[in-house]
């Protein structure tokens, strides 16, 4: 403690005398300054300036101390002769250390003489930032103008505030042309749910949105994001649209190409001109057992012991000359194994550098086979001669050098010698240019893998063959010919085309199912309300009753049309109900006249009345439509199609020609045409799946098989009689059931319809149908609670479940469907009665598969009496 004052004094004694205040301030300033006399002599330099110019600069002329461009900057205020209190500012580049300064001049007196004070403010960084900003803005404007897309911004009112991009040209717009126009005005719509408008509204809410959009014949990939201010607040939207029309068209080809490339699995090496490995793929690592990094440190000689550096130099020169070289060699794996490989190397120039791109295929198995064949030429010849596949060797010019018997048989020639005399391009390829294109492809890729081409047999019939093999090169890389395997895949490709057609019909069926769901909702609303109005009119003998009944009839016909749509591709189980097949045929007449051309006359004949049969009307319509389509194709020049419906007793006379039919009473539908008819062989195969006499791609061969299958599902029989030139008759037999009311014939009446006083929870996402069903149920005494989807219904049931006696729910809805709602209630212990409604969609079929089969399911469109009866039956279940 006592030593501290002494030490403090010692330190104070050691300090230098304090600096003048002016010098201290000058040293602390963030800029330098000097004082110059009127004749240019430097009178004073600040400490910062002295460090830059040197202490000896005082007394020198300023233009001798500063650089040349500085000289002019100083002379200018000197020439102006600034008087005391006057100021001036100049900018100079490169005065000190190559930097830029803004120099502030002020007239003053120094040591009794006129002088100028110069303050040097370093603006180098400011100029760099400004230069960069201006350059960046210019570059941005240039880039935006070159981008092959459309870019824009909008404000919060969805009004364009900017637009640019080369993609505007495709829309017939100029940059900025849409500024000030709203999205509603540009797209000429006031629908807020229109996809581009809805996307921008979501972006204004802070959500990035991307979607594909078709506009003016093109398809665009669109990205819309929120546009924010510096504080993070959303002030508008920024969008980008890229024209992907061409890309969409190529996607399938690209996917197939990618699959083929991925399936090759060859080891790939990129090498530089000195033989060093530049890049490898995963297949190369797997084949050799090295990591990517390990292979990157190797040369060709490290991987291939047959390629010392001197041979690589020759190989590289040969590659530069021929561009593609194929050789066989060996690769040494990490564990020391030697792997025989076929190497196809291509020369490539990229970004100013030269590379060799080599694809190495492991040919261990092939070499084993080749060595075996070398040891036994006789076995090789037997293998070729007896192969089921065609095998040939050809010259680059397109002459068969050797062929095996299988190829001779495939092409329909008499002998191998005869086949080797033909020209492949002229006599074998259906398209002569196809071979030239394949040869060019072979030269580029170095192999032939799985190519389908159209060939001609000797008799001129075109077949599809599958080619695989390899081009053959000599030791210097010249193409000597091709060794190929040939498989006749004509029948297989035809079957594949038929399968694709069947899949297309499956997709159409799914589409019609979705349409039917929405259509049946609308029909339910029409039917329920029309029947309510009809009931009220019946009690008052209103003159408008016939008009209301017409509405009901039209709704029933619309329901029939829905079933006809579903008939094209049906997935749901058959709904067997007592059916008047005469009415089914009559109702189908309108659609038949749309399907058949005008030169085919349709004649319908049905007994009145026809006995009832248990049938699915939609399935029967589907069968008749298929038969009518076949008849149309059999009458290309027109004719008569006759459909007859009649009661029939199958007795010994009928069984004499059709012994497979069990005796009894049937409804028989006979479909007769005056077409070309069938021979015996075709008639015997007519029910085989995929058998068709139509040209490839025209028919699936499934129509008659479907007719047979649906008839058997109805417990009936089908027979076909036909002769060439005498037309065809197809007879369908449906067993008679006890007489019951025909739903297609009887009009619903509200009299005696059952009602009740229970509480029903109605769950339906279609607003109009929900309101109509609620009014109907309440009219018949029920208390009705409603929910728009399964989630809302679940929450309502949890709150008021004790009041609810029955839940009626649509099967498929957003958030929570009827099946999910049923399972959720059962899992929570609820035992309330449950009834589902269905509207013909594929999703409903899947949902119903997982439900209790005892559940009541009411099919749409609803009929008032049926709705009330099914509700009452469900409530009265024990």
């Amino acid at each position: 403690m006592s030593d501290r004052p002494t030490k403090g004094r010692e330190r104070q004694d050691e300090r230098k005398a304090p600096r003048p205040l002016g010098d201290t301030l000058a040293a602390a300033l963030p800029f330098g300054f000097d004082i110059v006399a009127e004749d240019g002599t430097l009178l004073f330099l600040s400490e910062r300036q002295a460090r830059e110019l040197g202490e000896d600069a005082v007394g020198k002329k300023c233009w001798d101390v500063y650089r040349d461009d500085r000289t002019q900057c100083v002379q200018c205020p000197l020439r102006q002769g600034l008087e005391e209190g006057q100021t001036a500012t100049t900018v100079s580049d490169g005065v000190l250390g190559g930097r830029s300064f803004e120099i502030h001049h002020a007239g003053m007196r120094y040591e009794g003489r006129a002088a100028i004070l110069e303050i040097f403010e370093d603006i180098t960084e400011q100029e760099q930032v400004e230069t960069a900003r201006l350059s960046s803005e210019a570059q941005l404007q240039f880039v935006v103008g070159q981008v092959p897309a459309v870019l824009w911004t909008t404000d919060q009112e969805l009004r364009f505030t900017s637009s640019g991009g080369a993609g505007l040209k495709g829309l017939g717009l100029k940059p900025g042309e849409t500024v000030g126009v709203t999205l509603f005005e540009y797209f000429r719509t006031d629908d807020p749910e229109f996809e581009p408008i809805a996307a921008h509204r979501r972006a204004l809410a802070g959500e990035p949105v991307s979607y594909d959009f078709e506009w003016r014949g093109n398809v665009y990939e669109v990205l819309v994001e929120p546009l924010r201010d510096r504080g993070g607040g959303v002030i508008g939207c920024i969008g980008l649209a890229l024209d992907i029309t061409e890309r969409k068209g190529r996607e399938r080809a690209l996917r197939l190409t990618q699959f083929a490339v991925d399936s090759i699995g060859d080891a790939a090496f990129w090498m530089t001109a000195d033989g060093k490995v530049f890049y490898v793929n995963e297949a190369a690592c797997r084949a050799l057992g090295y990591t990517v990094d390990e292979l990157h440190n190797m040369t060709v000689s490290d991987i291939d012991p047959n390629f010392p550096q001197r041979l690589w130099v020759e190989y590289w020169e040969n590659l530069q000359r021929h561009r593609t070289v194929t050789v066989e060699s060996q690769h040494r794996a990490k564990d020391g194994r030697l792997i025989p490989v076929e190497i196809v190397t291509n020369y490539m120039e990229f970004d100013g550098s030269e590379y060799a791109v080599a694809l190495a295929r492991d040919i261990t198995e092939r070499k084993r086979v080749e060595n075996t064949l070398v040891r036994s030429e006789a076995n090789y010849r037997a293998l070729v001669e007896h192969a089921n596949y065609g095998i040939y060797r050809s010259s680059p010019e397109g002459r068969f050098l050797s062929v095996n018997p299988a190829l001779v048989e495939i092409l329909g020639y008499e002998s191998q010698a005869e086949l080797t005399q033909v020209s492949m391009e002229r006599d074998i390829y259906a398209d002569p240019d196809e071979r030239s294109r394949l040869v060019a492809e072979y030269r580029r890729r170095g192999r032939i893998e799985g190519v389908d081409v159209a060939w001609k047999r000797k008799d001129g019939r075109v077949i599809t063959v599958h080619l695989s093999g390899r081009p053959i090169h000599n030791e210097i890389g010249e193409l000597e010919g091709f060794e190929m395997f040939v498989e006749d895949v004509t029948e297989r490709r035809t079957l594949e085309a038929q399968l694709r057609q069947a899949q297309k019909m499956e997709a159409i069926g799914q589409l019609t199912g979705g349409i039917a769901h929405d259509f049946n909702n609308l029909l339910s609303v029409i039917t329920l309300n029309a029947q309510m109005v009809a009931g009220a009119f019946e009690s008052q003998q209103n003159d408008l009753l016939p008009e209301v009944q017409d509405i009901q009839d039209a709704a029933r016909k619309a329901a029939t049309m829905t079933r006809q749509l579903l008939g094209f591709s049906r997935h749901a189980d058959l709904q067997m109900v007592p059916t008047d097949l005469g009415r089914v045929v009559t109702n189908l007449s309108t659609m038949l006249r749309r399907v058949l051309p005008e030169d085919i006359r349709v004649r319908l004949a049905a007994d009145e009345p026809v006995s009832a049969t248990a049938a699915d009307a939609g399935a029967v319509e589907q069968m008749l439509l298929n038969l009518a389509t076949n008849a149309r194709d059999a009458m290309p020049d027109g004719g008569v199609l006759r459909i007859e419906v009649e009661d029939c007793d199958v007795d010994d006379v009928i069984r004499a020609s059709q012994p497979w039919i069990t005796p009894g009473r049937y409804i028989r539908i006979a479909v007769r045409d005056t077409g070309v008819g069938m021979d015996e062989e075709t008639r015997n195969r007519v029910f085989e799946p995929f058998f068709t006499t139509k040209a490839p791609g025209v028919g699936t061969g499934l129509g008659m098989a479907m007719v047979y299958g649906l008839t058997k599902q109805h417990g009936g029989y089908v027979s076909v009689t036909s002769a060439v030139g005498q037309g065809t008759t197809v007879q369908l037999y449906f067993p008679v059931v006890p007489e019951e009311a025909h739903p297609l014939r009887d009009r619903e009446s509200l009299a005696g319809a059952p009602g009740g006083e229970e509480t029903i929870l109605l769950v339906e996402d279609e607003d109009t149908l929900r309101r109509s069903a609620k009014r109907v149920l309440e009219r018949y005494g029920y208390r009705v609670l409603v929910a728009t989807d399964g989630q809302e219904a679940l929450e309502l049931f949890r709150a008021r479940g004790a009041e609810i006696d029955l839940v009626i729910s649509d099967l498929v809805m957003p958030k929570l469907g009827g099946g999910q709602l049923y399972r959720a209630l059962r899992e929570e212990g609820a035992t309330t009665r449950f009834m589902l409604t269905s509207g013909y969609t594929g999703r409903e079929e899947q949902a119903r598969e997982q439900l209790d089969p005892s559940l009541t399911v009411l099919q749409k469109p609803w009929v008032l009496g049926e709705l009330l009866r099914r509700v009452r039956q469900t409530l009265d279940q024990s």
Side-chain angles (χ1 to χ4, degrees):
M1 296 287 292
S2 61
D3 292 338
R4 290 184 179 177
T6 303
K7 291 181 179 180
R9 285 193 299 273
E10 289 174 353
R11 286 195 297 270
Q12 185 176 1
D13 293 338
E14 293 171 357
R15 294 173 184 167
K16 295 181 179 179
R19 299 170 63 185
L21 179 60
D23 290 346
T24 301
L25 290 175
L29 290 174
F31 45 76
F33 65 88
D34 63 22
I35 300 176
V36 186
E38 287 183 318
D39 61 356
T41 302
L42 285 170
L43 304 177
F44 176 81
L45 293 174
S46 68
E47 185 174 324
R48 182 184 298 271
Q49 209 76 345
R51 285 197 302 269
E52 295 283 349
L53 301 176
E55 295 287 352
D56 60 347
V58 175
K60 296 181 180 180
K61 298 297 185 180
C62 63
W63 44 79
D64 294 331
V65 174
Y66 292 106
R67 297 183 182 180
D68 292 341
D69 56 349
R70 166 69 180 89
T71 301
Q72 297 302 321
C73 293
V74 174
Q75 285 180 332
C76 181
L78 289 175
R79 287 198 300 269
Q80 291 176 357
L82 294 179
E83 297 181 1
E84 185 176 355
Q86 291 182 327
T87 62
T89 300
T90 60
V91 176
S92 178
D93 296 328
V95 175
L96 296 174
R99 300 190 303 277
S100 299
F101 290 88
E102 187 173 69
I103 307 174
H104 305 280
H105 310 271
M108 63 176 293
R109 296 193 66 79
Y110 181 76
E111 295 180 348
R113 59 192 295 188
I116 295 176
L117 171 65
E118 295 183 321
I119 300 174
F120 290 73
E121 182 179 357
D122 192 336
I123 61 171
T124 305
E125 184 174 350
Q126 297 177 20
E127 286 195 345
Q128 291 174 344
V129 170
E130 179 65 15
T131 300
R133 184 186 67 81
L134 294 175
S135 175
S136 176
E137 288 183 357
Q139 292 174 7
L140 179 60
Q141 290 295 329
F142 176 78
V143 169
V144 167
Q146 302 303 311
V147 168
V150 181
L151 301 99
W152 70 90
T153 56
T154 70
D155 58 20
Q156 291 181 328
E157 284 72 39
L158 300 185
R159 191 179 304 278
F160 286 103
T161 55
S162 69
S163 61
L168 285 173
K169 186 176 180 181
L171 295 173
L173 298 173
K174 298 178 180 178
E177 184 176 345
T178 59
V179 171
V181 178
T182 67
L183 289 176
F184 294 95
E185 294 169 340
Y186 177 73
F187 288 109
R188 298 180 180 178
T189 181
D190 57 0
D191 181 6
E193 299 304 320
F194 183 56
E195 190 169 19
I197 294 172
H200 281 73
R201 293 172 66 189
R202 288 168 59 188
L204 288 175
E207 177 186 356
V209 182
S210 62
Y211 60 96
D212 290 350
F213 180 63
E214 185 172 353
W215 181 246
R216 294 185 177 177
N218 291 337
V219 180
Y220 293 88
E221 184 177 26
V222 184
L223 174 64
V224 184
E225 293 196 356
L227 181 63
R228 303 178 183 274
D229 58 19
R230 292 186 177 180
V234 177
I235 60 175
C237 302
I238 182 169
L240 181 145
L242 182 66
D243 189 338
I244 59 172
T245 306
E246 184 177 353
R247 189 185 77 191
K248 283 288 186 181
R250 295 196 309 262
E251 280 182 353
R252 175 175 172 80
L254 289 175
R255 284 195 297 270
L256 293 174
T257 302
Q258 185 63 49
F259 175 78
V261 171
D262 293 342
S263 300
I264 292 174
D266 292 344
F269 304 85
W270 284 47
M271 296 160 291
T272 56
D274 59 1
K276 180 176 288 187
V277 175
F278 175 73
Y279 167 80
V280 295
N281 66 353
E282 290 294 332
C285 297
R286 289 194 300 270
L288 300 180
Y290 291 102
T291 65
V292 173
D293 291 337
E294 288 172 334
L295 285 171
H296 282 176
N297 294 323
M298 296 183 180
T299 64
V300 173
S301 301
D302 297 325
I303 298 172
D304 193 331
N306 297 325
F307 266 91
Q309 187 62 28
R310 61 179 181 82
L311 286 182
W312 168 255
V313 173
E314 297 176 8
Y315 189 81
W316 176 259
E317 293 174 352
N318 190 33
L319 183 64
Q320 287 179 308
R321 183 167 59 255
H322 296 285
R323 299 292 169 167
T324 299
V325 177
T326 301
V327 297
E328 292 184 7
S329 187
Q330 293 177 314
H331 281 174
R332 181 185 290 113
K334 188 174 183 178
D335 59 9
R337 291 178 298 112
L338 289 177
I339 305 170
V341 291
E342 179 185 71
I343 306 171
V344 180
T345 310
N346 291 278
Y347 174 80
M348 182 176 182
E349 293 182 4
F350 178 73
D351 200 21
S353 299
E354 297 175 298
Y355 300 96
V357 182
L359 295 177
R361 170 169 293 182
D362 186 340
I363 58 172
T364 303
E365 181 63 19
R366 193 178 82 191
K367 294 300 293 183
R368 184 188 67 79
V369 173
E370 289 177 353
N371 292 334
T372 301
L373 294 176
V374 169
R375 290 191 300 267
S376 179
E377 179 62 26
N379 290 341
Y380 167 75
R381 178 56 55 189
L383 175 65
V384 173
E385 292 296 319
H386 296 92
N388 292 325
Y389 291 93
I391 302 174
Y392 72 85
R393 174 176 286 185
S394 66
S395 68
E397 295 74 29
R399 287 282 177 181
F400 286 118
L401 302 177
S402 63
V403 298
N404 72 336
L407 185 63
V408 175
E409 183 178 355
I410 288 173
L411 293 175
Y413 285 84
E414 299 297 328
S415 65
Q416 293 169 286
E418 181 185 13
L419 183 55
T420 56
Q421 298 303 310
V422 305
S423 166
M424 295 182 66
E425 188 171 283
R426 182 189 67 244
D427 302 316
I428 301 300
Y429 279 85
D431 178 3
D433 295 333
E434 182 70 13
R435 183 179 181 279
S436 300
R437 290 193 292 268
L438 288 177
V439 170
E441 181 69 9
Y442 300 160
R443 291 178 183 274
R444 185 179 67 83
R445 297 184 59 190
R447 60 183 176 276
I448 305 96
E449 290 288 347
V451 179
D452 283 1
V453 297
W455 276 12
K456 293 183 298 185
R457 287 170 49 88
K458 182 181 179 180
D459 58 11
R461 182 164 62 91
V462 176
I463 60 174
T464 302
V465 297
H466 189 74
L467 301 180
S468 297
R470 68 186 186 109
I472 306 170
H473 297 87
N474 58 24
E475 63 278 0
I476 63 172
E478 294 176 338
L479 182 66
E480 288 189 333
F482 301 96
E483 288 182 346
M484 302 297 297
F485 289 86
V486 181
E487 180 185 5
D488 185 350
V489 295
T490 305
E491 184 175 356
R492 183 194 307 171
R493 295 297 179 258
T494 300
L495 291 175
E496 290 172 353
Q498 291 172 342
L499 177 59
R500 286 193 295 271
Q501 178 70 10
Q503 291 171 336
K504 181 173 70 174
M505 294 304 296
E506 175 73 14
I508 293 173
Q510 294 175 355
L511 174 62
T512 57
I515 295 172
H517 177 273
D518 294 337
F519 194 38
N520 280 332
N521 280 341
L522 299 176
L523 288 177
S524 294
V525 175
I526 296 171
T527 302
L528 290 178
N529 285 285
Q531 290 176 333
M532 290 287 289
V533 174
F537 282 177
E538 284 178 351
S539 63
Q540 300 175 12
Q541 299 298 315
N542 195 292
D543 293 340
L544 294 177
L545 180 59
E547 283 76 7
V548 176
Q549 291 172 348
D550 286 344
I551 294 174
Q552 293 178 265
D553 290 339
R556 291 189 184 93
K557 291 179 180 178
T560 300
M561 291 176 62
T562 304
R563 289 195 299 273
Q564 291 169 348
L565 284 174
L566 291 169
F568 286 108
S569 182
R570 192 177 186 88
H571 302 284
D573 295 335
L574 297 181
Q575 298 179 6
M576 311 295 267
V577 296
T579 304
D580 181 348
L581 293 183
R583 291 295 298 274
V584 172
V585 171
T586 301
N587 291 336
L588 189 64
S589 61
T590 301
M591 177 169 283
L592 285 177
R593 289 184 172 86
R594 294 197 188 105
V595 172
L596 301 175
E598 294 181 356
D599 57 0
I600 294 180
R601 290 164 294 174
V602 179
R603 299 288 184 264
L604 303 179
D607 286 353
E608 285 289 346
V610 176
S611 299
T613 184
D616 183 309
V620 175
E621 291 167 352
Q622 184 177 2
M623 290 187 281
L624 295 176
L625 283 171
N626 273 280
L627 294 175
T629 301
N630 287 344
R632 177 198 64 192
D633 296 337
M635 298 184 288
D637 299 323
V640 178
L641 174 65
R642 184 175 181 83
I643 303 177
E644 302 167 350
V645 185
E646 61 182 354
D647 284 274
C648 172
D649 288 319
V650 173
D651 52 18
D652 292 339
V653 175
I654 294 178
R655 295 189 73 243
S657 60
Q658 303 175 64
W660 58 86
I661 303 180
T662 301
R665 295 187 62 232
Y666 292 87
I667 307 301
R668 178 171 58 191
I669 301 179
V671 180
R672 311 177 191 275
D673 68 60
T674 59
V676 296
M678 294 180 283
D679 57 26
E680 186 67 15
E681 180 183 357
T682 302
R683 190 184 65 79
N684 289 333
R685 299 185 60 190
V686 72
F687 294 126
E688 292 182 13
F690 298 115
F691 173 74
T692 179
T693 58
K694 299 174 184 177
V698 176
T700 65
L702 295 173
M704 291 302 294
M706 183 205 68
V707 170
Y708 178 84
L710 289 177
T711 306
K712 298 300 289 183
Q713 282 185 269
H714 282 77
Y717 303 92
V718 58
S719 70
V720 177
T721 57
S722 183
V724 176
Q726 298 181 23
T728 300
T729 298
V730 180
Q731 298 183 84
L732 310 176
Y733 293 85
F734 299 87
V736 170
V737 298
E739 183 68 26
E740 294 185 12
H742 291 197
L744 290 177
R745 182 181 296 164
D746 299 336
R747 190 176 69 238
E748 287 273 350
S749 173
L750 300 182
E757 297 179 353
E758 290 89 348
T759 299
I760 297 174
L761 172 56
L762 176 64
V763 191
E764 171 60 53
D765 60 326
E766 173 61 40
D767 294 342
T768 309
L769 180 55
R770 186 174 61 251
R771 289 195 301 270
S772 298
K774 182 175 185 295
R775 285 196 301 269
V776 167
L777 292 171
E778 288 178 341
R779 180 73 61 85
Y780 282 82
Y782 296 106
R783 182 171 176 238
V784 181
L785 305 176
V786 295
T788 59
D789 55 59
Q791 186 62 46
E792 182 181 344
L794 185 60
E795 295 171 358
L796 181 58
F797 191 91
R798 288 168 178 167
R800 304 177 63 176
E803 309 172 29
I804 299 172
D805 300 294
L806 172 65
V807 177
I808 303 175
S809 174
D810 193 7
L811 189 56
V812 175
M813 295 179 294
K815 295 187 180 178
L816 200 68
Q820 295 168 308
L821 173 61
Y822 173 77
R823 287 190 291 272
L825 291 176
R826 291 299 182 258
E827 289 171 1
E828 295 184 5
T831 58
T832 305
R833 292 177 177 82
F834 206 97
M835 188 171 85
L836 288 168
T837 65
S838 172
Y840 304 108
T841 71
R843 290 173 57 198
E844 289 174 349
E845 296 171 24
Q846 298 170 5
R848 291 178 64 175
E849 290 176 357
Q850 304 173 2
L851 294 177
D852 183 350
S854 64
L855 274 175
T856 299
V857 179
L858 179 60
Q859 197 69 48
K860 296 177 181 177
W862 295 342
V863 179
L864 180 56
E866 181 67 11
L867 171 63
L868 295 173
R869 280 193 298 272
R870 298 295 285 276
V871 168
R872 190 68 262 164
Q873 290 171 1
T874 305
L875 284 168
D876 293 340
Q877 288 175 353
S878 58

